[in-house]
Amino acid sequence: ETWEERRVREAAEAQRRKARLVRKKEAFEAGRRARELEVAEEAAQGLEEVPTATVFTNMKMWRLIPKDQDSRSTWRKHFDSGKVGYEFEYGQSRKTTTNFRVPQSYRKLERLCVDDWKILIRGNGPRDWRLCPLHEQRLDFFLKVPTDKVLNYVYDLVGRSWYPQGEGVSEQKWMRLIKEMKVFPDMHRPKRQAQVDLGFKRQMSLQEENMTEKDRQRLQRAGESASTRNLGKQAFRNAVEEIIHLRYQNKSEEEKAELFYDMLLETVMLIQEVNGRVWNEAKRLAMLQEGVKQSAAARVQATMRKVYAMEYFRRALRSIVVVQASMRRCRCTLNYEARRRYLRYDLYYRVRWANSIVIQMAFRRYVAARDLKAKVSTRQLALLARVVSRRGKQTVKRRARETKILFRRVRTVNGTVTMQQMDRNGVGSVKDDDFSLDLSVYVPENQRYFRFHIPDAMFRDYLYQATGRAQFSPNELTESRHLMVLTDRLMCRKVDGQPIVYMSRKSIAERGVRVARRGIMVPGSGRLVITCYWANDEVVFQTYDCRDSRACRTSITMVVLKQWLTDNMIWERKRAKRSVNKHRSEARKLLKCQRLGVPVEAVQIEWAVDFLAKTGGDRSAGVEAFEPSKKPWEVEEPTLEEVDEKEIEEGKVLALKRRLEAEAELAGWTEEAAGKLALVTAEQDAREREKWPKQKNKGGGGDEERSSDEVEEEEGAEDKGIWFQEYSKRFPGMPVPPDGHFEDELLEMSEEPPMLKAVNRRELIQWLLGKLHVARFRQGPMRGKPQLVLEYELDLDNQAEAAAHIQGLHRMYRARVRLRSITKQCFEKRFHRDANRFYYCFAPDQTARQSAEAKWQWTKPRCLDYRGIDEDCASPKDSWRTMYVHATEEELSRLANDREGDPPSVKLISVAGTSQEDGPPCTSLYYANFATGQESLLTEDEAARAVQTMARNFLAREIGRVTIQGMIKAVKLQIESEEKYLAFPNRLSAMVNWAMVLHVIHHDLDGARKLYKQAVEISPENPVLLRAQALFSLMTCEPPRNSSYQRALENLKAAEIRDPKREKFHTAEESLFHWAVICNPKDARALLNYALLLQCVVKDFDLAEKFYRRAVAADGDDKLVVRNYLDFTAQRLPGGAYAGGGPPLSALKTSVVEEAKFEWGDWRMMRNDRAPDKRFTLYWASELAGKCSWEEPNWDEVWSLILGRSEVKEDLGGWQERWDPRLKITFFTNPDEFPQRFQQKSPYQTGDLKKPAKK
């Protein structure tokens, strides 16, 4: 509906409601006027005359007797005379009594137990049920009211009604009570008064002795003296019993009780307030007895109705079952026949349809197979013809290529990888003797081909130079070992960074001068004949291996040789340096021992001084260094001018040779060019041979001529040996100092090693021959084959092998790192909540991550825990994920029922799955959080709404919730209160209800105040009115505040006496005060009213304090809220009316720790400097328990809680070492002691427990 329609409808409803109220009021006035007219008419008519002999039935007859013959007791006379009225005080009460499981309300029982006139004529003889009242009467239970209750009524009367009003019975009230009770006839005597007064003081003394320390402090703070103290309820009873015992000393206990009760009947029970309460108690006892009868009658009636109803139900049920069975039988018969007929026709149709489909499919399959077979055969024949033709052509080309290819290999030429292929240039027939070759070299580095044409004559000449044979058969010419002679001549050099391959016209075997040819033992092969060739740029070693009939060759360039020798010299110098330092240290020790007085031989001292002096001296030992002018074994080296002249001549010859080689290469290797080159080569060889000393002639037996350098070297060695012999004789057993001053400096790159000098070339050749090995390379292109190698090549191969091994280990490490990275990507770590541990799920993609059927395992993947490596997959994110399960209904049921101990728990799947009749896989959807192991069928929105609902319920837990019935009752009460007040403005209930609505709901304080005053004038003792007016007075802070505050408290006490269980005020609490807070949880006035209710009526001070804070937070400027809150907090302090508990938890924000001890556990003594009262700056607080207290905690309870949550770490015999996870402390206790002790130090340190003896 629109807003206009809604407004019109609400206006119409308001008009109808107003008209209804007017009609009700008019009807009430009309009835009242009619009743007044009837009464006036009856009064005008007067008495009615009755004819003679008229018969009256059920007529009440009364017999009158004189007063002096009336034996009734005074209370009975009051009752019979009608002075005791029957009050309906349970008209709005919800209280019930239950018997035989049948509840009976007090409101109903009160109406049943109304006084009946038949009880007045009932005699003491046998009772006639026709003359006895139908229901229980309060008259029968008046004398059954317990004496204790009567004394309680008397105590309340004396303490609160007699002047001066207050709590307890003072001495003046006590004397007045004894006089009015007429306990002693001679009460006017001083002795009797003294006895009564002594009884009062005796009970007062006993009361003070039984008083606790807290009560004494409270009385001291209240400022009461001993003279103003009053008897309590228990002391009052004891005092009365003492007076009765004094009055009837010679009577038995039963007689004393009977006489005391009679005295109460004749005295205090006739007082109006006590008499009314006693009659109300008698009425309540009668109602309870009547409730037993009514419940029994209801139970009997219900049992009989059940018997009759069950019999009728069984009879009707049997009939219905028979009728239904007959109808079902007929219907099933008809349905069965119709179903059989339908299935028979359906079967015929299905068989025919299936057969026709099978025949059609077979025919189509036959036609398709026939056509396909023909088509495939045609295509295969055409393809086969093309393939045969193409393969024939390819075979011819391949054979032609293979016929020409004689040799192919991949080899490194001067450090550059090349692919070498050799083809025959001739026709290649049997009669063809021309073996001209084409050599093709491919360099992958720059992707270039280098082609060389080698004529037949040149090829044969190269073979002759390499092998020394002139004749070769055609098969020998094509052997690989002979073809490799040509590839070995290939050379490579780099020009502008680009490799260029060219062929050397001179054989490798012929480069340089043959300087040695010896048979030596070569490690790895045995004894071999080694030929050494010396060239300007390299040294070549050749041999012939008889085991596999092949030539072996190795070479070393001068640059590499120089570096090799330099490294050896550096190593030798370092080794010599270490040896000299060692001997110098020994020499220093000998000199130091001499200085210290240790006996040392003179020869050793002389050697030490000589050794230190010849090795540079020693300042600490006082030995100066000296250097001889010239050693006898020194040999003069050739001058620089002589060396330069020789090198210039050698350079000219080498330049002429290279120029002739270039010209011959350009000219095509003519006979003239070859002859010139041969002459120059012979001249160069002669010069090279002149450099070397002549060897001894083995055949002639004489010595050959030796060079001057060799002679000088031999003479120097001879002199050096003589000097060493003399030094050894001088210092036997002592190390010989090095020749000259020892320098700890490495060779520079420009410095030439001594072994490369011309005079030492023979030793160098001998040294190189000793470094030869026959071994297999483990790295490089020649690995696995036996080769003639030098020692440095083996070192390089070992280094390459180590590098390869390190690279392999590094690649293995990188592979494992990569494997672990891939494993971490493919495996997902999830938490299982029931097992309280993680498991690993194989989920390589997003689909597997969202599938519940993914493979899983408890153990970590092996690659993540390998050889001490402790890595793990990434921790799961704390987020919810949508999971799917693709399974049939049977699999879902199996997963849901048989997953004990298996992650993930899919018990929710059977609920989430959607089943299908034909059984295909169905998809189930649920949500999981693998960081916490939680699973749920709720979506994020549903879960959020559930959390919001719980949060709202948690925040509103103090306010509480209301049921639908409570809501209806609250709204109905508000509406009816207004209607009834308009209809009956002078009725007390309507006035009080509407006043409370104005006070609590509408906050109309002026209107509520006016109605409360009118209601008090009508009934000042109504408990509902007393409580409501008291709360209104406290809320409005009526001036003067102190007087209105005390008056409100007195009204609350009076209401509590009349309605101790708040039964009459319960409706107002829930339907008005509580309902106002629920409707307006942020309204300061509504919160204030509810806080006052909790404070003054419910007596829940902690909850009242929370609502006070809510009211202050809602409107901190409201004077009424602030004033009531301040009064409440003042009374909450120790000594106040609402003392107890402690300060609020918010006080911890402005407090500091005053003192903390181990014996206090989690409790601390806090100091709040911002407390409103400086007397209460100290208090106790426990942050773990969330409590604050003014009083000292009970330490037994505190430590019992700590023991309950702590764990035993170690059992030390009688003592235990325990760990508290919340306090994070370790303490020691002895559970066998009483009282049980707790201490922070070990009993070994305190001496409470001796250390066990070590075994």
Side-chain angles (χ1 to χ4, degrees):
E1 60 182 354
T2 62
W3 181 83
E4 187 65 26
E5 294 175 351
R6 180 180 178 184
R7 187 178 62 80
V8 172
R9 179 176 57 80
E10 291 178 352
E13 291 180 356
Q15 291 292 338
R16 287 195 297 272
R17 186 165 58 252
K18 188 174 182 180
R20 187 166 57 254
L21 290 176
V22 172
R23 287 195 299 272
K24 287 183 178 180
K25 189 173 182 180
E26 293 176 353
F28 176 76
E29 293 295 336
R32 184 175 58 81
R33 287 193 296 269
R35 287 194 297 274
E36 291 178 355
L37 292 175
E38 290 178 359
V39 173
E41 291 177 358
E42 291 178 358
Q45 290 177 2
L47 298 177
E48 183 180 358
E49 295 182 0
V50 180
T52 307
T54 301
V55 178
F56 296 94
T57 58
N58 294 331
M59 184 177 178
K60 297 179 181 180
M61 301 296 294
W62 301 90
R63 182 171 63 89
L64 302 179
I65 59 175
K67 287 185 178 182
D68 54 353
Q69 298 180 7
D70 189 1
S71 61
R72 295 177 300 168
S73 59
T74 308
W75 64 269
R76 181 60 185 268
K77 294 177 181 179
H78 278 265
F79 177 79
D80 292 342
S81 61
K83 294 181 180 181
V84 182
Y86 193 86
E87 296 181 0
F88 292 91
E89 58 179 341
Y90 297 101
Q92 297 181 356
S93 176
R94 293 183 177 180
K95 194 171 182 181
T96 60
T97 177
T98 303
N99 298 288
F100 308 108
R101 292 179 293 126
V102 178
Q104 298 289 337
S105 65
Y106 276 29
R107 181 173 51 189
K108 174 184 174 183
L109 296 175
E110 190 178 32
R111 292 195 300 268
L112 294 177
C113 295
V114 177
D115 296 336
D116 196 346
W117 62 271
K118 293 183 180 180
I119 198 172
L120 301 175
I121 62 173
R122 185 181 61 188
N124 296 328
R127 295 188 178 183
D128 188 357
W129 63 271
R130 290 171 295 183
L131 299 178
C132 292
L134 184 60
H135 303 288
E136 296 292 336
Q137 299 295 311
R138 59 177 178 169
L139 182 62
D140 297 335
F141 292 89
F142 183 80
L143 297 178
K144 297 180 181 179
V145 176
T147 307
D148 293 340
K149 285 188 174 293
V150 177
L151 288 177
N152 289 339
Y153 298 154
V154 174
Y155 177 80
D156 294 339
L157 169 66
V158 174
R160 299 181 182 180
S161 298
W162 288 4
Y163 183 82
Q165 297 179 357
E167 294 289 341
V169 178
S170 63
E171 186 176 2
Q172 297 176 359
K173 294 180 181 181
W174 169 256
M175 297 298 294
R176 178 184 171 186
L177 176 64
I178 297 301
K179 290 178 181 180
E180 291 188 1
M181 290 177 64
K182 299 179 182 180
V183 178
F184 299 100
D186 55 349
M187 188 61 191
H188 59 279
R189 295 173 56 191
K191 181 179 179 180
R192 188 64 68 185
Q193 293 179 3
Q195 291 179 349
V196 174
D197 187 39
L198 287 174
F200 176 85
K201 292 181 179 180
R202 189 180 299 109
Q203 295 301 325
M204 180 63 70
S205 300
L206 293 176
Q207 179 179 334
E208 290 178 356
E209 290 176 1
N210 297 330
M211 188 180 300
T212 61
E213 185 65 26
K214 186 183 295 184
D215 295 336
R216 292 191 181 91
Q217 294 178 1
R218 180 176 59 81
L219 292 176
Q220 290 177 3
R221 285 194 295 268
E224 296 183 5
S225 61
S227 61
T228 59
R229 296 176 185 174
N230 303 327
L231 285 178
K233 186 175 293 186
Q234 185 62 34
F236 175 74
R237 292 180 182 176
N238 297 337
V240 172
E241 291 178 359
E242 183 179 353
I243 295 302
I244 297 303
H245 180 72
L246 182 63
R247 174 67 176 86
Y248 306 104
Q249 296 180 0
N250 301 326
K251 303 293 183 180
S252 63
E253 294 297 331
E254 295 180 357
E255 292 177 349
K256 288 180 182 180
E258 184 177 355
L259 292 173
F260 176 62
Y261 195 77
D262 292 340
M263 182 178 60
L264 291 177
L265 288 176
E266 297 297 332
T267 56
V268 296
M269 289 180 65
L270 297 180
I271 301 173
Q272 182 179 358
E273 294 183 358
V274 178
N275 186 262
R277 296 180 68 176
V278 172
W279 279 110
N280 289 338
E281 180 64 21
K283 179 182 68 174
R284 190 184 68 83
L285 296 176
M287 289 166 55
L288 293 177
Q289 186 64 27
E290 182 65 24
V292 174
K293 294 182 179 180
Q294 294 293 329
S295 298
R299 177 55 59 195
V300 172
Q301 294 170 5
T303 303
M304 293 304 298
R305 286 195 298 270
K306 183 178 71 173
V307 171
Y308 295 148
M310 289 298 295
E311 183 64 26
Y312 177 78
F313 172 74
R314 292 192 182 95
R315 186 168 56 253
L317 183 61
R318 285 194 294 271
S319 302
I320 292 172
V321 169
V322 172
V323 174
Q324 289 178 349
S326 301
M327 291 300 297
R328 284 196 296 269
R329 191 180 301 109
C330 296
R331 292 290 297 258
C332 289
T333 302
L334 296 176
N335 292 338
Y336 176 72
E337 294 296 334
R339 184 66 177 171
R340 286 192 60 185
R341 184 167 55 255
Y342 170 77
L343 293 177
R344 185 168 59 253
Y345 293 155
D346 182 70
L347 179 62
Y348 294 159
Y349 176 78
R350 289 177 181 271
V351 170
R352 292 172 184 173
W353 179 265
N355 292 335
S356 63
I357 290 176
V358 171
I359 294 171
Q360 291 175 4
M361 291 178 61
F363 181 74
R364 293 193 193 96
R365 191 181 301 110
Y366 166 73
V367 173
R370 183 188 60 187
D371 296 343
L372 178 63
K373 188 175 181 181
K375 194 173 185 179
V376 170
S377 299
T378 304
R379 289 185 178 181
Q380 286 181 349
L381 291 174
L383 179 62
L384 182 60
R386 292 196 301 272
V387 168
V388 170
S389 176
R390 184 173 67 255
R391 288 185 177 177
K393 295 178 182 178
Q394 292 176 350
T395 302
V396 173
K397 292 181 181 179
R398 179 175 57 80
R399 288 177 179 175
R401 289 195 305 271
E402 292 178 352
T403 303
K404 291 183 178 181
I405 297 175
L406 300 178
F407 178 76
R408 180 186 294 169
R409 73 171 179 178
V410 176
R411 187 183 180 189
T412 302
V413 178
N414 295 115
T416 302
V417 179
T418 61
M419 186 182 71
Q420 305 168 0
Q421 179 176 331
M422 195 174 295
D423 301 334
R424 187 174 177 183
N425 194 15
V427 179
S429 60
V430 178
K431 296 181 180 181
D432 187 9
D433 295 335
D434 186 9
F435 278 88
S436 299
L437 302 175
D438 291 334
L439 178 59
S440 177
V441 181
Y442 175 73
V443 182
E445 184 175 348
N446 57 356
Q447 300 180 1
R448 286 185 58 185
Y449 277 95
F450 298 91
R451 294 179 175 85
F452 305 94
H453 177 69
I454 304 173
D456 180 70
M458 187 182 295
F459 177 39
R460 294 178 183 274
D461 185 40
Y462 288 164
L463 290 179
Y464 175 72
Q465 295 176 7
T467 61
R469 294 174 54 188
Q471 301 294 330
F472 292 94
S473 64
N475 293 333
E476 290 178 344
L477 290 175
T478 58
E479 288 182 359
S480 299
R481 59 191 180 93
H482 293 152
L483 296 176
M484 284 191 295
V485 173
L486 299 178
T487 59
D488 290 342
R489 291 175 175 267
L490 292 174
M491 305 293 289
C492 180
R493 64 181 179 183
K494 290 189 177 182
V495 179
D496 296 335
Q498 298 294 328
I500 298 176
V501 180
Y502 63 94
M503 179 174 287
S504 175
R505 298 301 181 181
K506 189 174 181 180
S507 173
I508 297 299
E510 296 178 355
R511 292 188 62 199
V513 181
R514 190 179 73 178
V515 295
R517 186 180 181 88
R518 301 177 186 176
I520 60 175
M521 293 296 297
V522 179
S525 178
R527 192 169 188 84
L528 295 177
V529 177
I530 305 297
T531 304
C532 176
Y533 295 91
W534 185 280
N536 291 333
D537 57 345
E538 67 176 348
V539 180
V540 181
F541 297 92
Q542 289 185 351
T543 186
Y544 182 78
D545 194 352
C546 301
R547 293 179 300 180
D548 53 1
S549 302
R550 66 183 184 87
C552 298
R553 175 185 179 277
T554 185
S555 63
I556 181 172
T557 63
M558 289 299 177
V559 176
V560 177
L561 180 59
K562 180 179 179 181
Q563 184 63 38
W564 188 12
L565 293 174
T566 303
D567 294 341
N568 282 340
M569 290 180 63
I570 293 172
W571 183 85
E572 289 291 341
R573 288 193 177 188
K574 289 183 178 180
R575 185 179 62 81
K577 176 68 174 179
R578 290 193 296 270
S579 177
V580 169
N581 290 337
K582 178 181 177 182
H583 296 323
R584 285 174 61 87
S585 177
E586 293 177 358
R588 291 192 195 96
K589 290 181 181 178
L590 292 174
L591 295 178
K592 189 173 182 180
C593 289
Q594 182 189 15
R595 288 196 302 269
L596 295 176
V598 178
V600 183
E601 296 181 2
V603 177
Q604 293 180 347
I605 297 300
E606 185 179 357
W607 169 84
V609 173
D610 184 72
F611 191 87
L612 291 176
K614 291 181 179 179
T615 55
D618 190 282
R619 185 177 298 177
S620 62
V623 180
E624 296 182 357
F626 70 94
E627 190 170 343
S629 59
K630 188 176 181 181
K631 298 176 183 178
W633 56 84
E634 269 187 338
V635 179
E636 293 184 359
E637 297 182 356
T639 62
L640 184 60
E641 291 78 5
E642 295 176 355
V643 175
D644 291 343
E645 290 177 0
K646 293 180 180 180
E647 289 182 354
I648 290 172
E649 292 178 0
E650 292 174 0
K652 291 179 179 178
V653 175
L654 182 60
L656 178 61
K657 181 181 178 181
R658 290 180 179 176
R659 183 173 60 79
L660 290 175
E661 286 179 356
E663 292 176 356
E665 195 171 332
L666 294 175
W669 290 95
T670 59
E671 294 182 1
E672 184 180 358
K676 291 181 179 180
L677 182 60
L679 291 174
V680 173
T681 303
E683 184 180 355
Q684 184 181 8
D685 292 343
R687 289 180 179 276
E688 290 291 338
R689 290 190 183 93
E690 289 178 358
K691 298 179 181 179
W692 293 92
K694 295 181 180 180
Q695 298 179 354
K696 293 181 178 180
N697 188 2
K698 297 179 181 180
D703 296 338
E704 298 180 353
E705 296 181 359
R706 295 180 296 175
S707 63
S708 60
D709 295 340
E710 186 176 0
V711 173
E712 291 178 358
E713 182 180 353
E714 289 180 358
E715 291 177 356
E718 184 178 356
D719 295 340
K720 187 175 181 178
I722 295 173
W723 184 83
F724 280 150
Q725 291 178 4
E726 293 179 355
Y727 193 89
S728 299
K729 290 180 180 179
R730 182 182 176 187
F731 304 109
M734 296 297 179
V736 180
D739 49 351
H741 181 65
F742 184 81
E743 297 179 357
D744 189 16
E745 297 181 358
L746 301 181
L747 292 176
E748 299 179 358
M749 294 301 296
S750 61
E751 183 181 356
E752 187 177 79
M755 293 285 287
L756 289 178
K757 296 180 180 180
V759 296
N760 298 327
R761 190 167 295 174
R762 185 175 179 181
E763 296 180 1
L764 176 61
I765 296 300
Q766 188 66 28
W767 182 77
L768 290 174
L769 290 174
K771 298 295 182 179
L772 288 175
H773 296 267
V774 175
R776 299 175 185 269
F777 283 121
R778 291 180 289 178
Q779 295 293 328
M782 302 302 293
R783 62 179 179 272
K785 299 179 181 179
Q787 300 289 333
L788 181 65
V789 295
L790 290 169
E791 187 174 329
Y792 87 94
E793 294 180 285
L794 289 179
D795 294 340
L796 294 177
D797 185 63
N798 290 334
Q799 294 176 9
E801 176 67 17
H805 185 66
I806 293 173
Q807 292 173 357
L809 293 177
H810 180 69
R811 285 193 293 270
M812 187 185 302
Y813 167 75
R814 298 290 298 176
R816 287 174 178 167
V817 171
R818 176 64 176 167
L819 179 60
R820 287 194 290 271
S821 176
I822 295 175
T823 302
K824 291 178 183 179
Q825 295 176 3
C826 295
F827 277 85
E828 185 180 14
K829 186 178 179 182
R830 299 177 179 177
F831 183 73
H832 191 271
R833 201 168 190 179
D834 297 336
N836 196 20
R837 59 183 294 191
F838 285 96
Y839 66 95
Y840 299 86
C841 182
F842 181 72
D845 52 6
Q846 188 64 24
T847 303
R849 289 176 183 273
Q850 293 183 342
S851 175
E853 293 93 352
K855 295 182 179 180
W856 61 271
Q857 61 188 29
W858 284 113
T859 58
K860 188 190 301 183
R862 184 173 179 79
C863 63
L864 299 180
D865 191 7
Y866 178 71
R867 291 186 178 181
I869 297 175
D870 188 9
E871 296 186 11
D872 204 349
C873 299
S875 299
K877 295 182 179 180
D878 190 2
S879 60
W880 288 88
R881 184 187 303 173
T882 304
M883 301 297 294
Y884 301 93
V885 179
H886 306 282
T888 61
E889 188 175 4
E890 296 179 357
E891 294 175 351
L892 286 177
S893 178
R894 178 178 57 80
L895 288 173
N897 297 328
D898 190 15
R899 296 288 293 190
E900 183 176 359
D902 293 350
S905 176
V906 291
K907 296 181 180 179
L908 300 173
I909 295 176
S910 60
V911 182
T914 56
S915 60
Q916 301 178 6
E917 295 181 358
D918 50 356
C922 60
T923 301
S924 300
L925 178 66
Y926 69 100
Y927 305 90
N929 187 342
F930 295 115
T932 59
Q934 295 173 300
E935 297 173 350
S936 176
L937 294 175
L938 300 177
T939 63
E940 292 185 1
D941 294 338
E942 294 173 348
R945 285 194 291 270
V947 172
Q948 290 172 359
T949 301
M950 289 188 290
R952 284 193 294 268
N953 293 338
F954 177 78
L955 294 176
R957 69 191 185 280
E958 298 170 352
I959 299 177
R961 302 179 63 183
V962 64
T963 61
I964 300 298
Q965 293 80 2
M967 294 171 60
I968 296 173
K969 185 176 181 181
V971 176
K972 184 178 179 181
L973 177 61
Q974 297 176 29
I975 297 173
E976 291 182 351
S977 298
E978 183 179 4
E979 295 176 354
K980 290 183 178 180
Y981 178 71
L982 295 175
F984 311 102
N986 296 325
R987 183 180 295 178
L988 179 63
S989 59
M991 193 181 302
V992 174
N993 291 340
W994 181 240
M996 286 193 294
V997 171
L998 293 177
H999 164 206
V1000 179
I1001 303 298
H1002 301 306
H1003 304 303
D1004 185 0
L1005 302 183
D1006 296 334
R1009 184 182 291 107
K1010 181 179 178 181
L1011 291 177
Y1012 279 136
K1013 289 182 179 180
Q1014 297 177 3
V1016 168
E1017 294 176 356
I1018 296 175
S1019 177
E1021 302 297 332
N1022 189 294
V1024 177
L1025 177 59
L1026 290 174
R1027 285 195 173 104
Q1029 187 191 17
L1031 294 176
F1032 178 80
S1033 177
L1034 293 173
M1035 180 257 187
T1036 55
C1037 300
E1038 295 181 355
R1041 175 64 172 173
N1042 295 333
S1043 300
S1044 61
Y1045 189 82
Q1046 294 297 330
R1047 187 167 56 252
L1049 294 181
E1050 292 176 359
N1051 291 339
L1052 290 171
K1053 291 180 181 179
E1056 186 177 0
I1057 294 172
R1058 292 165 176 77
D1059 186 17
K1061 297 184 179 180
R1062 308 196 319 271
E1063 296 174 354
K1064 298 180 180 180
F1065 201 67
H1066 181 74
T1067 303
E1069 292 178 8
E1070 296 297 329
S1071 301
L1072 294 178
F1073 289 88
H1074 191 198
W1075 177 253
V1077 174
I1078 291 175
C1079 294
N1080 300 302
K1082 294 185 179 181
D1083 189 352
R1085 294 292 178 87
L1087 294 170
L1088 175 60
N1089 288 326
Y1090 197 63
L1092 288 170
L1093 174 71
L1094 295 173
Q1095 169 191 346
C1096 302
V1097 179
V1098 183
K1099 304 296 180 63
D1100 191 349
F1101 306 122
D1102 295 335
L1103 188 57
E1105 186 174 0
K1106 294 180 180 180
F1107 276 93
Y1108 270 123
R1109 293 202 195 99
R1110 285 175 178 260
V1112 172
D1115 188 1
D1117 298 330
D1118 194 330
K1119 297 180 180 180
L1120 301 181
V1121 174
V1122 174
R1123 179 59 185 274
N1124 281 280
Y1125 180 59
L1126 293 177
D1127 292 344
F1128 176 76
T1129 53
Q1131 295 296 329
R1132 284 286 284 171
L1133 296 175
Y1138 313 123
L1145 292 176
S1146 58
L1148 293 174
K1149 299 179 180 179
T1150 59
S1151 303
V1152 294
V1153 178
E1154 176 70 15
E1155 187 177 1
K1157 294 182 180 180
F1158 167 77
E1159 293 79 5
W1160 296 347
D1162 55 338
W1163 285 84
R1164 303 288 185 271
M1165 181 175 287
M1166 310 296 292
R1167 186 180 77 252
N1168 185 11
D1169 295 331
R1170 297 174 60 181
D1173 193 341
K1174 297 302 179 181
R1175 296 177 300 170
F1176 306 105
T1177 56
L1178 297 179
Y1179 64 93
W1180 296 86
S1182 172
E1183 294 185 3
L1184 294 180
K1187 294 181 180 179
C1188 296
S1189 176
W1190 297 112
E1191 299 179 356
E1192 184 176 356
N1194 188 345
W1195 302 120
D1196 294 338
E1197 297 179 359
V1198 171
W1199 279 103
S1200 64
L1201 293 176
I1202 295 177
L1203 284 176
R1205 66 173 181 253
S1206 61
E1207 303 173 356
V1208 179
K1209 292 182 61 178
E1210 187 177 359
D1211 195 346
L1212 307 175
W1215 287 80
Q1216 291 180 353
E1217 182 181 2
R1218 304 182 72 92
W1219 164 257
D1220 187 357
R1222 298 195 65 183
L1223 293 178
K1224 300 185 184 305
I1225 61 172
T1226 301
F1227 62 94
F1228 300 86
T1229 180
N1230 189 351
D1232 298 334
E1233 290 185 353
F1234 184 81
Q1236 191 170 356
R1237 277 197 300 166
F1238 304 93
Q1239 60 187 37
Q1240 195 171 10
K1241 292 185 178 180
S1242 171
Y1244 295 114
Q1245 300 177 0
T1246 59
D1248 297 324
L1249 182 66
K1250 295 183 179 179
K1251 290 187 178 180
K1254 294 184 179 180
K1255 295 183 180 180

